[in-house]
Structures are given as C-alpha cells and as structure tokens.
Amino acid sequence: MSKPIEQRRWGMVIDTRKCVGCHSCNVGCIMENKLPPGVVYRPVIDLEVGSYPNVNRKFLPRPCMQCDNPPCVPVCPVKATWKRTDGVVVIDYNVCIGCRYCITACPYQARTFDFGQNWSNNAASGRDGGLALETGRKYEQEPSFEYGATWRRGDGVIPKSPVGNARKCTFCVHRLEHSQLPMCVTTCIGRATVFGDLNEPGTLVSQQVIRNNAVSLKAELGTAPKVVYLI
Amino acid sequence: MAFSSLGTTHRAGRERLLWALWVLAAIIGGLGFYERLAHGDKAADFSSYVPWGLWVAAYIYFSGLSAGAFLVAAATYVFRIRVLEPISRLSLLIAAVTLPMGLLMIGVDLGHLERAYLVFVRPQFHSMMAWMVWLYTAYLILLFTMLWVSLKSVQPGRNPGAVTNDLATLRVLGLIGIPLVIGFAGGVGALFATVAAREYWHSPLFPIFFLVGALTSGTAFLTAVVSWLWPSRDAAWKELVILLGRIVLALVLIEFILEWAEFSIPSWYQIGSTYDLIRYVLFGPYWYVFWLVHLLAGVLVPVLLLAKTRSPGIIGLSAALVAVTFFAVRLNLVIPGLITPELRGLEQAYSDPIGNRLTFAYMPSWFEWQLLLGVIAFGVALWFVGTRLFPHVFPRPSQSSEVGQ
Amino acid sequence: MNQEHETQKVSRRFFLNACTALAGGVTLGVLGCQRHEQQALNVTTPGPYPLADAENVIQTTCLQCNTQCTLKVKLQDGLVVKIDGNPYSPIALYPHLPYETPPKEAVAVDGAICPKGQCGVQTLYDPYRLRKVLKRAGPRGSNKWQAISFEQATHEITEGGQLFAGIGENRVAPGFKDVIRLRDAKQAKDLAVDVEAIRKGEMTVEAFKEKNSAFLDALIDPDHPDFGPKNNQFVLQGGRIAPDREAITKRFTFGTLGSVNWFGHTTICEQAHHVAFMYSLAQWEQKDGKFSWAKGPNHMKPDYTRAEFVIFWGTGFNEANFGPTPMSPRVSQAIVDGKLKIAVIDPRLSKSAAKGWWIPVHPSGNFALALAMTQWIIGNKRYDEKFLRSTNKAAANAAGEKSWTNATWLVNTKTGKFLRAADAGVGTANQFVALVEGTPVAVDPSDTKVPVVGDLDVSTTIEGIDVSSSFRLLKEAAAAKSLAEYSEIAGLELAQIEALANEFTSHGKKAAIDFYRGPIKTTCGFYTAQAIIILNFLIGNVDHVGGFMKGGGAWDGMGGKPGQPFPVAKLHPNALTPFGIKLTRESSGPYETSTIFKRDGYPAKRPWFPFTDDVYQEIIPAATAGYPYPIKILWLHYGTPVLSSPAGHLQIKMIQDTEKIPLFIATDIVIGETSMYADYIFPDLSYLERWSNPLGTSPVVLSQISKFRQPAASPICEIVTIDGEDMPISIEATMIALAKKLGMSGFGKDAFGPGQNLNRPEDFHLKMIANLAAGDKPGNEAPEADDAEMDILRKSRRHLPKAVFDERKWQDAVGPNWRRVAYLLNRGGRFEAASGAYEGDFAKHPWANQLNIYIEPVGSGIHSVQGKRFSGVPTYQALESFDGKPVSSRDEFDLELITYKDIYGGQSRTVGNFAGQMAIMPENFVYLNAIDAKRLGLSDGDTVRVESASFNGSFELGPGQAPSKVEGKIRIIEGLRPGVVSVSYHYGHWAYGSRDVEIDGQRIPGEPARGKGLLTNAAIAVDGYLKDVCLTDPIAGDSAFTGTRVKLVKIASASGPPAPIAGWVPAGWAVR
Ligand SMILES: Nc1nc2c(c(=O)[nH]1)N[C@H]1C(S)=C(S)[C@@H](COP(=O)(O)OP(=O)(O)OC[C@H]3O[C@@H](n4cnc5c(=O)[nH]c(N)nc54)[C@H](O)[C@@H]3O)O[C@H]1N2
Ligand SMILES: Nc1nc2c(c(=O)[nH]1)N[C@H]1C(S)=C(S)[C@@H](COP(=O)(O)OP(=O)(O)OC[C@H]3O[C@@H](n4cnc5c(=O)[nH]c(N)nc54)[C@H](O)[C@@H]3O)O[C@H]1N2
Ligand code: SF4
Ligand code: SF4
Ligand code: SF4
Ligand code: SF4
Ligand code: SF4
Ligand SMILES: [Mo]
C-alpha cells in the first residue's frame, strides 16, 4: 500500500494470439474516458496477411506505448506533457496549447486532437417533442475523470479543456488510483491484455514482458515502450 | 505587364477594383476568423492523423518570406552592398509585414491561443517549436528596431553624423540578425527534421533546404515588389531589378539542386517509405501541385524567363511566380510527411463518423482557405499602413512613373 | 513529499483476488497513494470517480444482441455513462465473484463486455428515440406523424372507427373491441375442446355448428371452426420479444386476448438449429396418462475449456453466436494454452477462423460436408459403438454414460414410425424395439433397471414389417452420394474432409461441434442441423467433460417449482383458452387434419409447419394472402421484418395495404424500418430502462444462472397515468391500458387473484424475480438483503422517478419476499458458484437423457405441399422451393451471396451507436476475393449494385420516399472463398434516424451517416411456389439466407488513388 510513485513502473502486455480483434478495449476506453469523435486512445488494427487459401488475420490493439523515451515529450513547447516516474506519459490539459507538435512526433500515432466535436453533432437537434432530441444528448455533457480530475469539455472562444488539446491514453491513472485496472484491461474480451507493476517480480506482466515472443512496436526507434506484445 | 503602363483613369479604376477585392477578402477572412473563434477548428480539414495542414504550410511560407527579405536587408547593411541599399528599408518592411502574417496563421492554428505565453513561462529547451517562438520574438524585436532605425536614418534633415551612426547601428543589428534569421529559417526546417517518427521529414538536409527556400522565396517576393511597385523607373532601378533577378535565378537553381538531392536519394533504389511518399507527391492525387504549380510555374518558366530576359516587368513576373508557387513547395513538405499511417492498417482501424478526423486524406477546406485569405488581407492592410506610416521605404520619386514610359 | 494516504476502500486481499480473476493472474501490484512533488499530474491521490461507488451502480442485462450478457451499469449525475460487465456473473467474469460478495466490495471489479455492450449508452440516449405516441398523419410509409397523448392512442385503438378521417381516409378501422369477440373463459375452453375433436376426426363441422350455433359469430369462419375465434385476427409479431418479454406478452396475447397469434422471429434467426436440437433431444414422456415426444432444449454447446478439438461450423466464438463475451475468454485461453485446437467451417475468414484451422466450405456445401463426415466416420468405424448401442437409461448407466441414443431402435420403413413393442409382440404400445443379438427386445427408454444393449447396424422383417435400425437408416442416408460427390458439392478436397473427420474422431469424447446460422439457413437447414448434431452423438460426447453440454440451466422464473411463491402462469383467473390454427400454420397440427385439407388437398396453398413455430417471414405474406384467414390487427413489437427477413422488402407493399392489414400498431424505440409503416407507434423503453422476465443463458455457461433486466436508467419515454398509476410508456404500459379499457382478464385489479393486482410492470416482473429468489426447492432460497444492502438499493436508484422506483410499490409486488428480491436486484441475478460446472468426468448439470438419431415425429410427417413423407434421418437434398423444384439461376449471377454479423454490430439495432459500430466501420462493404475482383475487373472502393434473379438492385419505400438502393463499396480481400460475396448485416438503413421525418408539421432531419452501407436481404431468392416470401425450410420454417446467386454491377469507380500505405507491420506479419 505504501509504495511511492517512483518505485512503481506500470506496464502492459497484449497477447496478440489471444486478442480476437473485438474492439471492446477500443470502445470501452472511449466510453470510460468519454472521448469525443475523432479522439481515440486504443484503436484495434485488423490486418490480413498471406493470400488465399493461406491467409490469416492479425489484430493489433494500440494504446499509447508509454515510451520510456517518449519522442512526444521533448517536442512540447510548453512542457505540457511528460513522463511520470511511474512510467505514465501524461498531458496537462490545463497547459497544452494545442499545437499538435507531439501528435506529429509520436511514431505510433497514439495522440489525437480534441476538436470539440460531440457524437450527437450531426443528429437533428431541437426541443424534445415526439423524439428525445434534447434529452438524448445530455449524457455527452457529463465530465470525464482523466488524471483524477473533473473535465467538463466546452467550446467557445476559449475552449474548455480538453477541447483544443492533444489527448492520449492515460493508462487510466484515474482508475489505478481507485485500485481498478485500466478499462481496456477489465473489458478485454479475449483476456489478452494484462497490466501491472513491472517492478513487482511476481506480477504476470513482469513475467510476460520477458517472454521469447515478447516484442515492442518499432523497437528500432529506441522509444522503449512500456506496452509489450506477445506474438 | 508592368504596373506603370496603365493610364491614370484606368489606374484609378484598377485601384478601386483592388480596394473592392481587399474589402471582399477582408470580409471573407473576417467571417473565417469569427468561425475560428466561435467554433474552433471544426471546419478545418486537418485532423488527428494529419494534424498540420494549409495553415502550417502558410505559416512556414510567410515566415520564410520574412526571413528571406530580412536577409537581403541585413546583408546590405552588414556587407555594405551599395546597390541593394535603396531597397533595404523596403526589405525590412516586407519582413515586418510577412512575419505577423505567419504568426497570425500559426496562432489560429493553436487549440489554445490564449495559453501561447506559456512558451516563455514554461520553457522547454528540447522543443524546436519553443526555440522557434523565442527566435521569432527576438527577431520581431530586432526587425522592428532595425526598421525604426533605418527609417530614422532617411528622415529628411537628419544630420549625416547621425546617419552614419544609424548605419553603424544597423550594421550591428544586422550582424546579430543574420545568425538569428538563419537560425530560425533553418530552425523551421529542423522543427520538422527532428521529428524522427516522420521519415519524410527526418532528413539532415531539411534545415538547409528551408533556409535556401526562405532566401529564394523572400528574395523573389522582394524582387516582384521592387519591379512592380518601385516608384522610379530609372536605369538604376532597372539594374537593380536585373541584379535581383539574377540572385533569384541562382537561388532557384540551388534550391532545385537541393530538391533533387532530397527526392532522388531516397528514391534511387525504389524502396522504403520515403520513396513511397515521394512517389505520392510526384504521381499521387496531387501530382499537379508538384508538376504544374511547383515545377512548371515555379521553376521551369521562371528559370527560362530569368535566364533570357532583361525586362524588369518580366523579371518581376518570374519572381512573383517563384514567390507565389513556393507555397506549393511548403505544402509538399508539410503534408506528405503526415499522410501515411505509422502502423499499417491504422487508417481503417477506427474512424470519426462525425467530423472525419481520423483519416489520412487531407484536402484544405474552404474554411482554411478563408482564413488564409484573411491573413493575406491582413498583410495587405499592414503593408498599406506601413507604406503610409513610413513613406521612406521607397526613395523619393525622382520622376513620375508615367514619364518613364 | 511521500506522506501516506489511507484511501483504500476495498480490502487488499479482496482486491488482489479480484485482479487475479480479472486478468488471469495479474495483480495490479501494490498501489500506493503518494503525493509527489508539486506537479499536479504527479499526484496519485484518488481523484473524483463516482463510477467506483456502489451507490452509482445498477446490475442488469444487455440486449444489444441476444447473448444478453449481465451488465454493471454506472451512473453519473443520474445518467448512465458507462456500462461494464457484472462481476457476479460467469458471463462477464471468468471465474466470477462469490455470490455473497457485498456490493460495496464487488464494485471494485468490472467484468468484461463486448463493444456493442460498451456502446449501449448510445442506444439509450439516441436523440431519435421516441418519447410520445406517434399517429400517422399521411399515408402509410409517408413518414408524416402527429404526436398524440397515450390516452387518445389507447382509446382509438380500442374503439376503432374512422381513425384517419383527418387525412382523408374514410374507412373504418377495427379496434380491439371489435376483434376480441370471444370473451368468456368457459366458452373459449368448450369451443377449444370441440375444435380439437374436429381435428381428431371425432366431430364433424356440421355437428360443431349445431352444438355451438350461439357462438358462431365469435368465430372467424363457422365453416372452418379450426381457424378459431375472431380473437385470432389479432396478431402480435415480435422481433426480439423472446426471452425478453415473452412471459408478459404471451399472457396478454393468449390469456387476455385469447389469440393464438403470438410470434417471435426465430425463423429469420436460426430456427433450424433450435428445432433440430429440440427433436434430437425429444424424450418419450408420459403426460396425463398418454405418451408422446416432449421436445427437448434447443441448444447444446461444446465444453470449450476442456475440449481438445472443437469445430465451429458456420459460427464462431468471437463475432456472434452466444457470443463473444462469455465465449472468447474461454476459447482464447484454451487455444493459447495449447489445450484446444479449433476448426472453423465458414466461406469467410472470420475473426474466429483466424484462430484456427479455416475450412472455406462452399456456401451450399455444408450438408454435403456433414454427410461426407458421417459416411467416413461410419465407414471407418470411428463412432463410439458402446455409447450408441445403449438403448435406455439403464444401459447408459451400465456403460458409464449418462445419455443414450435411439440408434438401435427399429423403424418401420413404410410409415417412418418406430416399431412399437406391441406390434413386435414383445411389449406394450408405448415401448420400442431393438434387436439384441438378433432378437427383438422391448425398449423403455427411461427404464433405469433393465439395460438393453441393441444391435446397431441392422435391417430385418418383424411380423411382416420391414424395419431398419435408426443407425442403418442414417448410414444409408449418408451413403446417398459418394465421398467424391460430396467433396465436389462442398467445394473441399476430399483429403481435407477426411482430415477433418479424422481429427474430430481422434480425441475420444473431448471433441464437439458447435454450429449456428451459417450452415442451416437453407431449405435443408433442419436436416443439416440434425446431421451436425448426430456427428456429436456419434462420438458419444454428450455430458462428458470436454464434450457436448446442455449448460448449467436457470432457476424457474415462472414459479413452477415447489415452494416458489408466484406460479404466474396459473395466476390468471378467467384466462381465455386460445385455440385454432395459427396464421402461419405453425404448431397447428398436421395439415391433413385441418378442415382446409378437406377443401384443398395437396398441394396446400401455403405450406404448413407442424414441427416449428415463430415463422416470422410468413406472417405478413400470410395475412396478405388471407390464408388461412384474414387478420384485423397487427402489432409489431421490437422487430423489423421488412428489413431483417430475406426478401422482406416484398412486404413493404403488403403492409401499406389497409385492406389486408386494417390496423397496424408498433412498439418501438425509434421510427424503424418497419414501424414507419404503422398507424400508431408506441414508444418503448430501451433495455436499460425496463424490466424483463428472468433469463437463462446459453450452454456456454456450465453453472446455474438466472438474470433479468431492471430499470437502470431514468426513462426517456413520456410518463403517463393509467388508472391513477404513473409510469413511462412501454409495451407493458400499453398492454395494461388496453386490457383495462377492454375489461379483459390478467391485468389490472385482482389480475393474479384476489388482492393481487397487475397495475404496473413490476407487479408482474418482480414476482418472477421472487421465484428465482425462492429457488428451485425449499432450502434453495437466496439470502435476504441486510440494511446496508437495502440502503445501496435505494441510493443507487435515487435518480429514478417515482413513476419507476417507488420502494413501497416494489415491495407490494412481492410481499414478504422483498428482501430476498432486493438481494437479487443488487446482484443482477442469481449465480451459482463456478464450481457448479463439473462433477467428476461429467457436467454437474448433465442432459442425462434421450438422444435421437432418428426423429420419429418428423420421419412420419408429411410435406404439406409435396404430399411426401419427410425423413427421420438427414437425407441429402439440394436447395428447393416448396413445390420441390430445384432452385437455379442464370449464369450471369455468378457469385454466391452470404451474410454475417460483425462483432460491433447488433442486428439492425446499433446504427445509432456512433462510438461503436459507426466509428469502427462507418459503412459495410461488399467483400470479394481478389481472384473474383480481377475476373470482374473491379477494384477496391468501386461502388457496385447487387442484383439477383429476383431483384434489380433497388426497391420502393412508399409515398414521397426515394427508393432504397442496394449498393455498396467493394473491398477486396484474400480471406474469402473465391466465388463468394459476403456482406454483413447492420447497415443499409432507410429509417432509424437515417432519413427526414415530419412530426407535428415539423421536419426533423435525419442523419445520413446512419443510412450508409448496404443490406442484401432484398436480393435473397424468393420461393418459386409462393413467390411472395423467401425460400424456406419446410420442417423448421427457417428462412434461407444462403443459396442466392448474385451479380455485381459496377456503378462508380473508386474515387482517387489511395494514400501510400507504407505503414509499419510487426515482423512476420507482412507475408503479403
Ligand atoms: N455481434 C453480434 N452477435 C450476435 C448478434 C448480433 O446481432 N451481433 N445476434 C445474436 C443472434 S440473434 C444470433 S441468431 C446469433 C447468430 O450467431 P452466428 O450464427 O454465429 O452468426 P452469423 O454471423 O449470423 O453467422 C455465422 C457465420 O456463418 C457464416 N456463413 C454464412 N454463410 C455460410 C454458409 O453457407 N456456410 C457456412 N459454413 N457458414 C456460413 C458467416 O460468414 C458467419 O461467420 O448471434 C447472436 N450474437
Ligand atoms: N442480412 C442479414 N439479415 C439478418 C441477419 C444477418 O445476419 N444478416 N440476422 C438475422 C437474425 S439472427 C435475426 S435474430 C433477425 C433480427 O431481426 P428483427 O428481430 O426483425 O430485428 P432487429 O434488428 O432485432 O430489430 C428490431 C427493431 O426493433 C426496434 N427496437 C430496437 N430496440 C427496441 C426496444 O428496446 N424496444 C422495442 N419495442 N423495439 C426496439 C428497432 O426498430 C429495430 O429495428 O435478423 C435476421 N436478419
Ligand atoms: S506512444 Fe506516442 S504518445 Fe505514447 S509515449 Fe510513446 S511517443 Fe508518446
Ligand atoms: S499539442 Fe499540447 S501537449 Fe502536444 S506539443 Fe502541443 S502543447 Fe504540447
Ligand atoms: S489504459 Fe485506459 S486510457 Fe489507455 S487505452 Fe486503456 S482504457 Fe484507454
Ligand atoms: S478487447 Fe482484448 S481481445 Fe478485444 S480487441 Fe481489445 S485486446 Fe483484443
Ligand atoms: S455480447 Fe455484447 S452486445 Fe451481446 S449481450 Fe453481450 S455485451 Fe451485450
Ligand atoms: Mo438471431
């Protein structure tokens, strides 16, 4: 209970053999963090390899790699993004100026920009009559709790963050603080995602990251991801 | 066709037309600014995967113009290049007009413009972008000081001693300015080149390429302005324009050599992702931007014209072609670096059915052009105010332009 | 720095266990709550997170698809913002939490659910959700509406009259009061008995008329009393009605209104699978002194976690089926552990096929493949002979088995019936006969004392009757074609078929075949299903660990078990006895005993379906044809037959006909593709706002489980007052109001008996939950909620209006059972511990009963159109119309069309799920193998129109509407059998918010993104005999989704060359 943040090192292992490409982590994350359209933290890539009849499909869920050498961090002109000592690369929505430099710098395209859209933007709007035009959209105004804060998005001349910010997977630190695993882990249909403290020798993550079939994406770049794949 | 060939009434009519066009541009642009303030970047077509678009290209274009024009002026003062002396103040004014245009452009591009000051409060020394901001600020201060001093030096009745002093000051400021400008002109290149994730950008040639590009476009722009708007149409003017034309020609050629290097090296054995992107630039859906706008209108035609002609009008036209089409070069530097999924299949993994923000296809929207137009209108206004405020950017007319013809 | 904060609410031990459960052994490590320097984001003190509080959680059940997973719904400011899996349940967490875990502790754990489940918030809060009753303000289908009060609406449909005079329709529409003519329970019962006598040939129509002359005007047609009362002219057509709200709508239709015409949608779903199981598992049972075949359960599944080899035949574990949420973790883990090998038989490389051995069968080749495997297994003696030879329970037990088959029973080959022991002179008329070393012996299947082990492969003559054993008949049927011929039809190499059969029979009892819609959506679907089930029986895998399982079962919600407080079916004083032939002639006895048989003989004008029910695609065509009788009121609930049925578009014209369907009402949550043609649409509550009856689950779960839906979200629908009771509009509210207006039984005051009213939805639904709480036998009761739990129950419902949650009313509904009920409500159901799965080498909840190789009821039944006997064992047959003519099409239609469901799409219901379905795939594609694309000169992204022999690519929708076009973009892939074109479900909408509607004179724009993509159902082949409905299996009534050939007509080229795709791929994945 008393482990200081410096001694923790969160890591994630995604077993692509177990991943069934269901997109549950993808959508679960969207709903958990109340992500608007255009913002996605964990898309799931569906690749076809080979040719008929020797063909197969591979699935690659892609959260933020929480790189140990995160190329997204040094580019930020205002130090709005940094790597915490527990390994989570965070963005301070209250500082980010929305220049999107970090988005270009991430080799995994793990960052997206919040343009201030809502899911119900293109639906008919107006007062409720026979239909729920108004009540139906209320849930979209509810705040999210990323980084353990309360975020009410808003448009306007000075947009309310995280509108106008770069956004990315947070490793669900707001849930970790409440002793809950990240959403994409708990809702993983294939039970393909494990999460834990890499500094704890007993955890499944610690055991799995050193497996023979463990790989990092674009290891050649030296970003040292803390999300590792079993292939 | 040279500006001065028109008759007075004709000219008045023409001026009214230009005014009307400006007002139109200002209105359209103004509406764009309103949209931007009220609804953010929603109407823009750049996205989460192509996060930089027309505006960023325009920003580096304008800042390049500024840098190029400034370098001409600074060189004049520092190296005491006599022939260029008459246009030094003009160069400074051009630099002083185009830089705010660029900054305005990048300002609206930010998600939180109101926080831009944080770049000074929370300095990040690793960030090329932070460095750019600091350099621009320093440059902006320097530029305005130089403009002020240089204008002061040609104030009627200024005593020669003071003028000498002024020139000395300018020389020192120019001396400081040259590395500063080289720093930021190249730095913009570095801003892209240091992004290791983007193979297309990640080239050591980029800063030099950008620097030469800044010089080329800035000088070309200056040349066009001198050839068209210079009040006196005398032999000196003609010589000046011819000289500028030569410089532009040389720069275009150097730029082209660099471009050749930039394109040919990664493509030589026809493998690799940069090759794919270059092929995309050359033969992809926007092939015409490279072949027609850039190569034909921006290199081939001007080079042929500049090499052959001694007519200031045609030189002006060629230089204008170079300057304007250079925008295409900027677009082709920024956009293709972003249009490839970093991981295969990402383009189909998840989309944005509301605003289409998760796509690798980018085509500047009307809104983006609208704001660009607004920025140009803003620049024209600045220019207008600048030339009214400081008529001395142009030497006193020795004869009316009509007489020259 | 580094000061300690004690913030942990959950005990650490518990938490670690939970994590272990969650991520298969992962522990989250030790969580500290340390403050770290100034930077705000480096603080790890728990921030605000209301979703981790048990007071913001309600457990209920999903219905984004029919897997019906158990949910944990999370609330924030009174709104549902997040949905997760209920950790108490084995569906969402494997293994699940102990049932006793207090909600305060359980809240730390989230179970897993699929992407559709995750996106349910957008179904609930769809801006196009209906709030008020809409009445048509233009011709049917014009999408012009008027919002009216609930009171006006229920009044109008009760009374009938010139309801649409306002828009110039002067016809008189019937009201419920005109249709519900037989109102007396005793009368109904007497008439029912007499009609039964007619069917049995014990009474003539004339005698009937004479006896019942006073009541003849209550009948549809006195000359055909077997049509039943006029009440039958009320038809309830339910889509996703079962098992969701089956109990209450059946109560209403059967008991209250006295109509036989209650329908689910199973024949467009997978009825052949169900019916084949029900007959394959039918038991010879004695009831009221008479013996008959009692149909068995409709589903068995492989024991995925312990099996060594599982074949997924036209289904998978990850996309649809029953379904990704409970199956994927079990199957995935077993595969990765190297314990399980799977084969997937599917023309399409599904996400499931990607995890195993893909067998790209020809879409019309499944039956041939099954028979080839049967032939090979029999020929090579790879079946479990010992298992097959046990004829009864005693023999099974002696052989160390739980179940037994009728493989050795002798069949009279002339009649298709089993030889009875009486006829063989060895026993009674209710016993069967097997040869034991050549001697006929009586077989009593349920006998536990005298084991009879029969001869398997025999044929002989007994008492002059030619008989063969069931097994012999199977063997002969499987030999109808040679292996080479079968392999040709299946489109697979013979060696591959042999390898598959060999593998399947190489794991003893630790192998099984799972199948669902893929192989059976064809006119021989029943036989195909039967053949696949028999393949399982042949290896004797039933009930064995690693074999074929019936699942853990559920508690009885209907209250039929001793000690349960509310036997709801019986608690219906004055219930009418519904009688007569159902509109679709399903479950209505053999054609030959009907009065129309006497009139028409063979061929029947429209087919009869004595072996099945829910013949959904036939309801509207039958009503339109007026066969066997015309109808008056159609109530469509939660269904969209026009869109979801093959060739359903033909029904658009039919439902626009106010003569044939005089009153058409619908309950829906939006203006749907079919409800848009209704006269009145009543808003319904979504699955997150309402009750359901108790629900079981598929045999994926091997421990006992019962779940239900309860109101989690505050209702979107208008709150109305019925008889002084406030409640949101829903189908329950509508039924309550109607029954009260009509003065019929079963609803309202004393509906269950004196002092027990049914005035509110919970009056009904909570009673069934009380039955679950009471358990299956005395001593099996659930615990009572303590005060702390009662407090959570209240607090977590603080956002619900009184019209939904009024504790006193809930308590009143169940009386002294309330605290036990509360315990279940807090947990979203009743769940046996995971240890309830196995007992020794067998399932703890085994089938332990009869398995049929030969199905007597079918084998002795007659095809009503062809007048020929069906077969009791699967007999090869190609695609055919009802009249037996083979289905063929011209050469230009050169591609086989198949359809499937994507993991992120829930039927046609999730198009408003923008964060799920629409963002993952904004439109669906016309998938084509690269070989075909090349042959046809098509490129990726080209737009094509889908045409078939019966369909030209577009269809009309109605007045003022642009036609719907079946056009989509090509996507070229390798993972598809060449010659096949596959198009998913879920897209191609023309309503559901995709187009503009007018309400109260105001235009409400649609969202065109919802109309993207295509649905190919309109292209599906039409039956050559009936010509107004799709090809249909005559036994199961199942609609044929397979077998249609189409052509693709290019109408536009892909726009613009694609961006360079140079993206990075993990090493080894870049084979192509
Ligand atoms: N994601 C999701 N899951 C669902 C539902 C949903 O809407 N969405 N609905 C639920 C319901 S109601 C049902 S009935 C079940 C249905 O569950 P399934 O039957 O498993 O699902 P389908 O996708 O209809 O069909 C299964 C497979 O059959 C394949 N197939 C098509 N034609 C043929 C053929 O001719 N031969 C063979 N061998 N295979 C063929 C398809 O490619 C597909 O992969 O799913 C339930 N689960
Ligand atoms: N091409 C193709 N067609 C198919 C299939 C396929 O795989 N491919 N699958 C088939 C299968 S397995 C099935 S089960 C059927 C399903 O077919 P149906 O049961 O006819 O249709 P559903 O898509 O379940 O949706 C029914 C309609 O109910 C309404 N609705 C949605 N939610 C609610 C609610 O909460 N309450 C009420 N009252 N109404 C609601 C909506 O209008 C929706 O359109 O489709 C079949 N059709
Ligand atoms: S994956 Fe991208 S966003 Fe995440 S830490 Fe690495 S570079 Fe930064
Ligand atoms: S977008 Fe925000 S976080 Fe990213 S670099 Fe710019 S300021 Fe930093
Ligand atoms: S860790 Fe949390 S934020 Fe990151 S992808 Fe998973 S759910 Fe999303
Ligand atoms: S939820 Fe799990 S199985 Fe599904 S796509 Fe994500 S990682 Fe794969
Ligand atoms: S499989 Fe998904 S959509 Fe279907 S019931 Fe389960 S959670 Fe809901
Ligand atoms: Mo279904």
Side-chain angles (χ1 to χ4, degrees), chain C residues 116 269 314-315 319 321 346 348 363 366 517 901-902 905 907:
Chain C
K116 308 178 288 299
C269 182
T315 190
E319 278 144 314
N321 202 341
D346 198 319
R348 186 178 72 86
N366 295 286
R517 294 184 79 240
K901 298 182 187 70
D902 268 310
Q907 312 289 27

Side-chain angles (χ1 to χ4, degrees), chain A residues 75 96 100-101 155 163 218, chain B residues 42 51 109 112 127 191 342:
Chain A
V75 298
C96 169
R100 310 189 293 287
Y101 196 10
D155 247 342
V163 172
K218 299 193 177 179
Chain B
K42 284 202 206 74
D109 190 73
H112 282 274
S127 172
L191 189 147
E342 287 287 337

Side-chain angles (χ1 to χ4, degrees), chain C residues 283-358:
Chain C
Q283 315 128 59
W284 187 243
E285 245 181 33
Q286 194 179 16
K287 213 177 165 189
D288 307 329
K290 275 170 50 186
F291 276 91
S292 67
W293 289 104
K295 288 190 216 170
N298 58 23
H299 211 152
M300 279 186 128
K301 285 222 173 284
D303 176 13
Y304 309 102
T305 55
R306 308 287 176 98
E308 293 173 5
F309 184 62
V310 169
I311 299 176
F312 290 93
W313 200 321
T315 190
F317 58 99
N318 183 44
E319 278 144 314
N321 202 341
F322 263 99
T325 300
M327 288 170 78
S328 292
R330 289 168 168 84
V331 180
S332 277
Q333 187 63 50
I335 294 173
V336 170
D337 288 347
K339 291 191 220 146
L340 172 67
K341 186 175 168 190
I342 65 162
V344 179
I345 305 174
D346 198 319
R348 186 178 72 86
L349 179 67
S350 65
K351 288 179 177 175
S352 306
K355 300 295 176 187
W357 177 11
W358 178 38

Side-chain angles (χ1 to χ4, degrees), chain A residues 75-78 80-81 91 95-103 111 166:
Chain A
V75 298
C76 178
V78 292
T81 179
I91 302 173
V95 172
C96 169
I97 61 172
C99 68
R100 310 189 293 287
Y101 196 10
C102 55
I103 300 183
R111 290 178 173 236

Side-chain angles (χ1 to χ4, degrees), chain C residues 265 517 616 638 640 644 668 684 899 907-909 985 1017:
Chain C
H265 67 185
R517 294 184 79 240
Y616 192 67
Y638 215 149
T640 180
S644 56
D668 205 327
D684 195 13
T899 180
Q907 312 289 27
S908 66
R909 309 200 291 265
Y985 196 15
N1017 286 353

Side-chain angles (χ1 to χ4, degrees), chain C residues 81 119 182 222 409 411 422 485 574 603 611 715 758-759 762 840 893 988-989:
Chain C
V81 293
C119 210
L182 187 60
W409 299 10
V411 179
E485 285 169 315
N574 296 319
F611 308 111
L758 200 172
N759 288 327
E762 64 265 26
F893 301 102
H989 283 266

